[in-house]
Each structure stands twice: as C-alpha cells, then as structure tokens.
Amino acid sequence: MFNYRRRKSFPKLLDMDDLRPLMLDPAEGEPDQHAVECAPEDLPALQSESNLRTQQGDWKTFRNILVLGFSYLLIFTSFNTNSFMTQVVIRSIHAEDPSFTGSGYISLAVIYAVFASFNWLAPSCLSFLGPKLTMIVGGVTYVIFIAGFLWPNTFILYFTSVLIGIGAALIWTGQGNYLTLMSTQKTISRNSGIFWAMLQTSMLFGNIFVYYQFMGKEIIDQHTRMVVFIVLTVVGVIGVGVMCLLPKPGSEGGGRADDLGGPSTALRKSFALFKTKDMLLLSFAFFYTGIALSFFSGVYSACLSSTLRFPDPKRLVGLSGMLIGIGEILGGGVFGIFGSKTVKFGRDPIILLGYIVHMVCFFLIFMNLPTNSPLYGTSDPSHLPSGEPSEVIALLCSFLLGFGDSCYNTQIYSILGSVYEDNSGPAFALFKFVQSLSAAACFFYASVFKLYWHLIILIVFATIGTFTFWMVEWKAHRRLKAKPDTTAFD
C-alpha cells in the first residue's frame, strides 16, 4: 500500500487546493484509493501507530540489552571473584601439594597473550557462528577455567588459561557486535552505559565476597576451596544459560541482522580496518584503557598493600576494589540513564570529564603513596605535608579510577557502535586486541618501574588518547551533520 508523505523538501502547503493534484485522479476527477486511504486527516493516526511500533521495538531491544548485561554480570561475578583470590588459592594449593608449580602471573600472561592474538581470528568465528553463539562459546571457556580449580593441576591451569584467552576474544567480540546490532544512533550511548554498569556490578560483588570470606587469610583449606569453586562454577553456568535466552539479532526479538561475509572475508576486513586513519587514531585511546585497567586492577592494589604506614593495608585493598567498582557502576549508570541527553552534545565532553578525573587522581596518588610501593613493602613517607599516607585519599582515588575508566570505556563502545555500525565485529575485535596488548605490556613492566614512571606513562597516553579520540569524534559529528535530511513520516 502506498502512503501519503510530506517531506521537508516540499514547500509549505497552504490549503487543500494545493493537495488536489496529489489526491485526484486526472482522468476521473475523483479521489483514488490512495487518496482515500492516505488523506491528511489520517496522518495523526498513522503517526501514532508508527510511534507505537517504534516504542515497542525499542523496548524489545532494550530488554535484550538487560538480558545481555545480566548474563555478563553472572559470568564475570564468577570470573572476577576467582581472579581476586587467585594468588591466595594458588599459594594454598602449593602448601598442600608441593608438586603443584602453577603461577598466577604466568597464567595471567598466557591469558592476555592468547587473548590479544586470537582477536584477529574472532571476527572470522563471528561471521561463521553469529554473535549469540560466539558469546556462548566464549562463556563456556570461562566456566571451564573456573571449574579447573576443582582439580588443582599445573597442566590444567595453563591449558584452561589458553582456553579462556580464546574465549575472551570470542565473548567480547560477540558482545560488541550484539550490542551494536541491538542499538541505533540514538540508543547506542544509553545501551553502552547500562551494559557497562551491569557488567561492573560483578566487580563489586566479587570484591565484597572475597573481602568478607578471605581477607586476612594466608591459606584456604581444600574443603573451603571446593565449596567456593563449585558455587562459582554454578553461577557461571547460569550466566551462560541466561545468554542462551537472547534472541538472534534481526529476528522477532528486535535489532538488525549483520553480514560479515565468510571467515576469510572477515579476517581481511579486520586487517583493512586496522590500517584506516580513524582506527589508528582510536588505537591510542584503546591502548590507554589497557594500561589503565592493569594499573587499577594490579599495580594500585599492590601499592596499597605495600604501603606499611597504613594501619591495615590488606583491608584497604579490599575496600579499594569495592570503590573502583562503585565508580565504574556510577559512571556507566549515569551515562546510560542520560544517554539520550549526552548524545546530543557528543562524546567528547564525557571523554574530557574522564581525562580530568584521571589527572586529578594521578596527582593525588603521587602525593599519597611512596615511590617504591609498586616494588616492595615500604615505610617510606608520602609526599603529603605530614608524611603520612591518607586512607581517605587512597579510597577516593580508587573511586576516581573507576569513574574515569567508565567515561572512556562507555564512549569507546558508543563510538565503535556508531561509526562502525556496519563493521562492528572487526572494530570491537581490534579494540580488544590493542587493549589486551597494552594491559599485558603493563604487567610486564609493573615489577620493575617505580610509581612515578607508571603515572608518567598513564598521563602521556591519556593525553594522546584523549586528543585522538576527539579527532575521530569531531570527524564523525561533521559527517553526521553533512548527511542530507531525508526525514519523512507516514
């Protein structure tokens, strides 16, 4: 059925005579069926019906984002809880079984190395499996890795580390593609923020669990380990089960379908995309998020635990993890709830906010913690006038680290889903490739650099990454404004 349309390019119609050539059949001089069905007085009803369909479709896709976020919340509550207690668990296993020679640091290095490498193949897997099945396969590897601790064995530890490295590339590439296909230009910022807040809630749950169950313990007995890892495995399995409830993009569940071509085509797209100017510019922002992730998840907690002037450094590490999680959740929640408002002003103000927050944070960390704190336990004075480090400042910095990180990550998700909406699989794979590569690099130099070197590296890459992000954002904004306005309503 044809529809009556009035476009912005039409001159303003003053009366019904202006409409007569459109509504009358020249031969008969009588209204044709098209005119009867689509007369102007029917426009409000047609518009209302169109708006209702749009709202229903938006609710379907938003519901899918909530299900996606909940599945990741469960899987990463399981994984993050395991990560926070890995060192004490491995130490406990070694105390009971001297033949166990596994190392948490080597396991971490293997995970990041495989993660970075397999990101190049993840788009090919995505083109073959689709985003839903790609995420499910990735989620299963997380469950296998956690379940591996039920049978402590050096080979199992490193083998499952390889598996989860592959799975991490799959689960994040699939997630980025799925989020993009379930979003529009108007909803990508909101959906990115909501997903990020739900994901980071897993960090809060994991830290609270470890803080109250294991804080202050040097050894965890075998029975307790078995109970904990059985529970974590079940939580991970439930998360994968929730992921299975997601509809395929483009089906009746909402969203749109995506065609990456075959696996070889997807791989060629990844290489071609990585060589483009915009992606190279964004890579500096990706790189910064990787070293920032390694800093607040590893280096900063080590600094707190090594600052012996604190009354209870281990307790402070647990509280710090919670405050980082709260900062991440607050940032993601705010940018999600007000995503429709912030998108009107662009992504650059939020990136600027994250940059300022992190610069203030790095200055406070430099003033509050001893220079040698990343390397070993020290009673050296801080740079504060009293010479005593402040727990309040330390926890404030934890919150600022998390909030600033959410500023960068939510806007990176948003710009990738917007600028590369037709190429989101390779785009998110390249994001995770650069991010995991820089995170691995930070873990390598973490054990030899003093605190001020860490902060200098962070400041340099934050500055470069912020400016290069702005360059891509401004270009995308100009391109969007230059598009011809073809808005029409039925």
Side-chain angles (χ1 to χ4, degrees), residues 85-95 100-105 107 149 157 225:
M85 62 183 189
T86 295
Q87 282 304 109
V88 65
V89 166
I90 288 179
R91 193 185 306 121
S92 302
I93 295 172
H94 184 70
F100 180 81
T101 57
S103 166
Y105 291 114
S107 171
F149 283 89
L157 174 65
R225 292 199 309 269

Side-chain angles (χ1 to χ4, degrees), residues 80-159:
N80 288 336
T81 304
N82 171 72
S83 299
F84 294 141
M85 62 183 189
T86 295
Q87 282 304 109
V88 65
V89 166
I90 288 179
R91 193 185 306 121
S92 302
I93 295 172
H94 184 70
E96 295 176 2
D97 181 12
S99 66
F100 180 81
T101 57
S103 166
Y105 291 114
I106 294 178
S107 171
L108 195 63
V110 170
I111 291 172
Y112 274 103
V114 176
F115 182 17
S117 303
F118 202 79
N119 271 307
W120 288 102
L121 299 177
S124 299
C125 297
L126 178 67
S127 69
F128 179 72
L129 299 173
K132 177 181 175 179
L133 195 54
T134 299
M135 290 187 292
I136 291 172
V137 172
V140 169
T141 65
Y142 278 76
V143 174
I144 293 173
F145 177 77
I146 295 163
F149 283 89
L150 295 171
W151 301 276
N153 180 277
T154 305
F155 172 77
I156 290 178
L157 174 65
Y158 294 145
F159 176 72

Side-chain angles (χ1 to χ4, degrees), residues 28 32 38 70 91 108 197 236 271 329 335 404 419 427 457 468 473:
E28 304 293 336
D32 61 10
C38 304
F70 186 60
R91 193 185 306 121
L108 195 63
F271 281 109
I329 295 166
F335 303 140
V419 175
I457 292 171
T468 55
E473 167 66 10

Side-chain angles (χ1 to χ4, degrees), residues 43-85:
L43 282 176
L46 293 171
Q47 285 181 269
S48 177
E49 182 181 349
S50 176
N51 291 336
L52 181 61
R53 287 197 302 267
T54 301
Q55 291 173 1
Q56 290 174 341
D58 186 50
W59 164 244
K60 282 184 179 180
T61 55
F62 183 63
R63 181 183 59 196
N64 295 335
I65 296 298
L66 294 178
V67 175
L68 179 70
F70 186 60
S71 67
Y72 274 68
L73 186 157
L74 292 172
I75 292 172
F76 283 89
T77 292
S78 178
F79 176 71
N80 288 336
T81 304
N82 171 72
S83 299
F84 294 141
M85 62 183 189

Side-chain angles (χ1 to χ4, degrees), residues 98-285:
S99 66
F100 180 81
T101 57
S103 166
Y105 291 114
I106 294 178
S107 171
L108 195 63
V110 170
I111 291 172
Y112 274 103
V114 176
F115 182 17
S117 303
F118 202 79
N119 271 307
W120 288 102
L121 299 177
S124 299
C125 297
L126 178 67
S127 69
F128 179 72
L129 299 173
K132 177 181 175 179
L133 195 54
T134 299
M135 290 187 292
I136 291 172
V137 172
V140 169
T141 65
Y142 278 76
V143 174
I144 293 173
F145 177 77
I146 295 163
F149 283 89
L150 295 171
W151 301 276
N153 180 277
T154 305
F155 172 77
I156 290 178
L157 174 65
Y158 294 145
F159 176 72
T160 55
S161 297
V162 172
L163 281 183
I164 199 174
I166 295 172
L170 294 176
I171 199 171
W172 288 114
T173 301
Q175 177 270 331
N177 182 241
Y178 193 90
L179 182 73
T180 301
L181 296 178
M182 286 293 171
S183 304
T184 64
Q185 291 278 355
K186 292 182 178 180
T187 62
I188 184 66
S189 292
R190 179 202 68 187
N191 293 346
S192 299
I194 294 296
F195 172 82
W196 188 258
M198 295 183 72
L199 170 68
Q200 296 304 322
T201 304
S202 66
M203 181 182 290
L204 182 61
F205 288 160
N207 269 297
I208 291 174
F209 179 83
V210 173
Y211 179 78
Y212 283 106
Q213 292 295 318
F214 304 121
M215 190 54 60
K217 292 186 178 181
E218 295 296 331
I219 299 295
I220 303 174
D221 63 88
Q222 183 180 7
H223 175 72
T224 303
R225 292 199 309 269
M226 290 291 290
V227 172
V228 169
F229 281 105
I230 288 174
V231 172
L232 294 181
T233 302
V234 171
V235 171
V237 169
I238 295 173
V240 174
V242 172
M243 198 174 279
C244 292
L245 301 177
L246 289 168
K248 292 182 179 179
S251 65
E252 294 183 0
R256 62 185 188 278
D258 194 16
D259 182 17
L260 284 174
S264 60
T265 303
L267 183 61
R268 286 197 301 271
K269 280 185 178 181
S270 298
F271 281 109
L273 189 62
F274 192 59
K275 293 186 290 185
T276 61
K277 180 181 177 181
D278 286 353
M279 185 57 70
L280 289 173
L281 289 172
L282 286 174
S283 293
F284 288 98

Side-chain angles (χ1 to χ4, degrees), residues 295-317:
F295 181 78
F296 70 70
S297 64
V299 177
Y300 187 63
S301 59
C303 292
L304 295 180
S305 64
S306 299
T307 303
L308 303 181
R309 286 180 177 245
F310 284 129
D312 190 350
K314 289 185 178 180
R315 169 181 164 274
L316 195 62
V317 169

Side-chain angles (χ1 to χ4, degrees), residues 1-7 22-23 32-40 42-43 46 49 53 489-490:
M1 181 183 72
F2 295 99
N3 290 324
Y4 170 84
R5 294 177 183 268
R6 185 177 68 190
R7 296 185 179 273
L22 295 176
M23 298 178 61
D32 61 10
Q33 186 64 28
H34 169 65
V36 173
E37 291 178 351
C38 304
D42 294 335
L43 282 176
L46 293 171
E49 182 181 349
R53 287 197 302 267
F489 55 85
D490 296 332

